[in-house]
């Protein structure tokens, strides 16, 4: 909500509430001297295209590493776990037993990655009564007791974006398992799986800053072994197959990145119609309208997937790949974009996105 003087005065009542704890983590220091070793001339030499390009590449690599380290220092909390469990289903409501089961599965996946958890989350594992009670008090979910099969916990459509914000705390921990689950739904050999997983990790890196090398080098086998132990995955020679028992669990994981794929699909579909140079603001409006139409037609389902940040990330991605090019303007919203040298690749990228979405 926008801030105002009146809102500030009214905020006093909220300051009396207990919202939880604050966690501050410090990662390993990054040595700038080591990063600059042998490349100090990039910051001392006369300006030239090569110097500017090298400095930009070094700065971007350092920035990416810092974001990766911030992500891995995050502490998992119960609200984010619950939000991930709720948004991992295509429906808005779940029986309490179903919600707690999904929350336990998210926690186990976090534990597999050695993610730190808040004491409240650790204490509440099992039935998650405290966590669910907080969600109810905060108005994030509601309770329905009239069904003879048990209590139903659900969220209003208007709370979907708020839940998505809470889930984003854990999104980078769920990204690789979710992308893996999406490929498993399609069925593939281990070689194809690695290739496809690498492609999507590269393509969507600036959404969750998960390094491809870490996933393919260390985590992939750990995830697959874990799925096998759970009985949700079978290996036959080089082929990987989701078991009947695992259909629901794998679909639940795949659902975590559904909104992201839908937003990129809508953006790529819009850019295919680009004829004349258009500003970022104009393109965002067109893409938003395309997303709304796709939602009406059932081509996309997750309304929380559409937002300005994701659109800008998609626009930057298409520009980096040469599919689009900046033809005017310096500030973000004033830039104009036109078809780039690699524009013909856009149709293929849109089809790959459509293929992944078809697996749900």
């Amino acid at each position: 909500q926008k801030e105002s003087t009146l809102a500030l005065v009214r905020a006093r009542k909220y300051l009396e509430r207990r919202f939880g704890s604050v966690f501050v983590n410090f990662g390993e220091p990054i040595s700038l001297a080591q990063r600059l070793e042998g490349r100090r001339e990039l910051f001392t030499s006369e300006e030239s295209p090569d110097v500017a390009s090298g400095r930009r590449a070094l700065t971007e690599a350092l920035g990416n590493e810092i974001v990766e380290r911030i992500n891995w220092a995050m502490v998992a909390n119960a609200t984010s776990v619950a939000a991930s469990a709720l948004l991992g289903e295509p429906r808005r409501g779940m029986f309490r037993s179903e919600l707690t089961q999904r929350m336990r599965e998210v926690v186990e996946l976090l534990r597999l990655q050695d993610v730190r958890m808040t004491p409240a989350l650790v204490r509440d594992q099992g039935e998650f009564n405290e966590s669910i009670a907080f969600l109810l008090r905060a108005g994030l979910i509601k309770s329905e007791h009239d069904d003879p099969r048990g209590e139903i916990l659900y969220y209003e459509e208007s709370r979907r974006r708020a839940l998505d914000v809470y889930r984003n705390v854990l999104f980078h921990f769920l990204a690789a398992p979710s992308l893996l689950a999406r490929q498993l739904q399609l069925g593939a050999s281990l070689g194809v799986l690695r290739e496809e997983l690498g492609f999507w990790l590269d393509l969507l890196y600036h959404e969750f800053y998960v390094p491809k090398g870490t996933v393919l080098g260390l985590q992939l086998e750990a995830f697959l072994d874990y799925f096998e132990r759970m009985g949700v995955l079978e290996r036959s020679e080089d082929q990987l197959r989701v078991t009947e028992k695992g259909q629901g669990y794998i679909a639940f994981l795949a659902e975590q990145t559904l909104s992201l794929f839908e937003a990129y699909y809508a953006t790529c579909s819009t850019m295919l119609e680009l004829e004349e140079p258009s500003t970022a603001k104009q393109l965002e409006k067109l893409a938003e309208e395309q997303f709304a139409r796709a939602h009406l037609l059932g081509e996309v389902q997750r309304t929380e997937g559409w937002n300005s940040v994701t659109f800008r990330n998609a626009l930057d991605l298409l520009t980096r790949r040469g599919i689009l090019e900046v033809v005017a303007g310096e500030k973000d919203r004033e830039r104009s974009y036109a078809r780039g040298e690699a524009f013909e690749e856009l149709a293929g990228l849109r089809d790959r996105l459509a293929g992944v979405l078809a697996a749900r």
Side-chain angles (χ1 to χ4, degrees):
Q1 296 179 352
K2 288 186 176 181
E3 295 178 353
S4 66
T5 303
L6 181 59
L8 181 62
V9 173
R10 289 176 174 172
R12 290 180 301 171
K13 63 180 180 181
Y14 295 108
L15 299 178
E16 297 173 358
R17 297 183 186 179
R18 176 173 174 78
F19 287 94
S21 303
V22 176
F23 291 83
V24 181
N25 288 336
F26 295 88
E28 289 295 322
I30 296 176
S31 171
L32 189 58
Q34 290 180 357
R35 295 297 186 275
L36 292 176
E37 189 173 354
R39 291 178 286 184
R40 289 181 181 271
E41 69 278 2
L42 294 176
F43 296 89
T44 58
S45 303
E46 292 185 10
E47 190 71 22
S48 71
D50 288 342
V51 168
S53 175
R55 186 166 59 231
R56 185 165 53 250
L58 176 64
T59 304
E60 182 176 354
L62 180 60
N64 290 344
E65 183 179 354
I66 290 172
V67 176
E68 288 175 12
R69 291 187 179 214
I70 291 172
N71 279 349
W72 300 123
M74 295 292 284
V75 180
N77 61 71
T79 309
S80 296
V81 168
S84 302
L86 289 162
L87 294 178
E89 298 288 340
R91 50 200 166 125
R92 291 191 293 115
M94 307 169 68
F95 290 112
R96 177 182 280 261
S97 59
E98 293 177 315
L99 176 58
T100 55
Q101 175 61 26
R102 289 300 188 213
M103 290 178 70
R104 284 192 287 269
E105 290 167 351
V106 172
V107 167
E108 287 304 313
L109 203 54
L110 296 175
R111 187 172 284 123
L112 181 68
Q113 300 174 71
D114 295 323
V115 178
R116 288 184 59 191
M117 303 181 198
T118 63
L121 174 57
V122 173
R123 182 178 63 248
D124 201 30
Q125 287 181 55
E127 297 305 315
F128 296 100
N129 289 324
E130 290 183 20
S131 305
I132 292 173
F134 172 79
L135 293 172
L136 290 166
R137 289 196 307 272
L140 289 169
I141 63 174
K142 294 185 177 182
S143 177
E144 171 62 63
H145 292 272
D146 291 340
D147 195 291
R149 293 169 294 177
E151 180 186 7
I152 299 174
L153 296 168
Y154 67 99
Y155 60 89
E156 300 284 2
E157 189 68 28
S158 61
R159 307 306 287 164
R160 189 188 287 273
R161 283 193 183 275
L163 289 169
D164 191 47
V165 170
Y166 281 110
R167 179 177 59 175
N168 282 344
V169 173
L170 305 179
F171 191 54
H172 50 285
F173 296 125
L174 301 175
S178 181
L179 294 174
L180 176 58
R182 286 203 161 274
Q183 296 307 312
L184 290 174
Q185 285 181 318
L186 295 168
S189 65
L190 182 58
V192 171
L193 182 71
R194 291 181 65 89
E195 181 180 343
E196 287 295 307
L197 186 57
F199 172 81
W200 294 114
L201 286 169
D202 264 344
L203 189 80
L204 301 173
Y205 173 76
H206 289 90
E207 289 292 342
F208 33 69
Y209 291 91
V210 174
K212 180 177 71 173
T214 299
V215 176
L216 298 183
L218 299 173
Q219 294 184 336
L220 178 57
E221 279 299 324
F223 287 134
L224 293 176
D225 288 345
Y226 175 65
F227 292 162
E228 276 193 289
R229 292 197 305 272
M230 289 182 65
V232 302
L233 179 69
E234 289 180 348
R235 298 198 207 200
S236 177
E237 296 181 351
D238 192 36
Q239 293 296 312
L240 302 167
R241 186 182 70 84
V242 178
T243 64
E244 183 176 352
K245 171 188 174 183
Q247 294 291 336
Y249 177 73
I250 293 299
F252 165 73
L253 289 183
E255 195 81 9
Q256 301 295 335
T257 49
L258 176 61
S259 61
L260 186 62
F261 277 99
E262 290 182 341
Y264 271 70
Y265 173 79
T267 300
C268 289
S269 298
T270 300
M271 299 309 159
L272 279 172
E273 305 301 320
L274 181 64
E275 296 291 344
E276 301 294 332
S278 302
T279 66
K281 186 175 182 179
Q282 290 171 328
L283 291 173
E284 183 175 351
K285 185 175 185 299
L286 292 173
E288 185 174 8
E289 292 171 351
Q290 170 64 30
F291 189 90
R293 289 192 296 270
H295 185 252
L296 287 175
L297 294 170
E299 296 174 349
V300 300
Q301 301 172 5
R302 295 297 194 170
T303 55
E304 74 275 11
W306 183 258
N307 59 75
S308 294
V309 174
T310 301
F311 169 77
R312 294 303 170 132
N313 287 346
L315 198 61
D316 289 344
L317 168 71
L318 297 177
T319 305
R320 288 196 305 272
R321 295 176 74 92
I323 292 172
L324 299 177
E325 64 175 352
V326 179
V327 293
E330 295 184 0
K331 296 182 179 180
D332 285 348
R333 283 195 167 271
E334 295 174 356
R335 288 177 184 167
S336 289
Y337 294 81
R339 294 187 176 194
E341 293 183 358
F343 187 79
E344 291 183 357
E345 297 178 7
L346 182 57
L349 177 59
R350 199 272 302 267
D351 290 344
R352 290 189 76 160
L353 288 163
V356 172
L357 290 174
R360 57 190 166 192

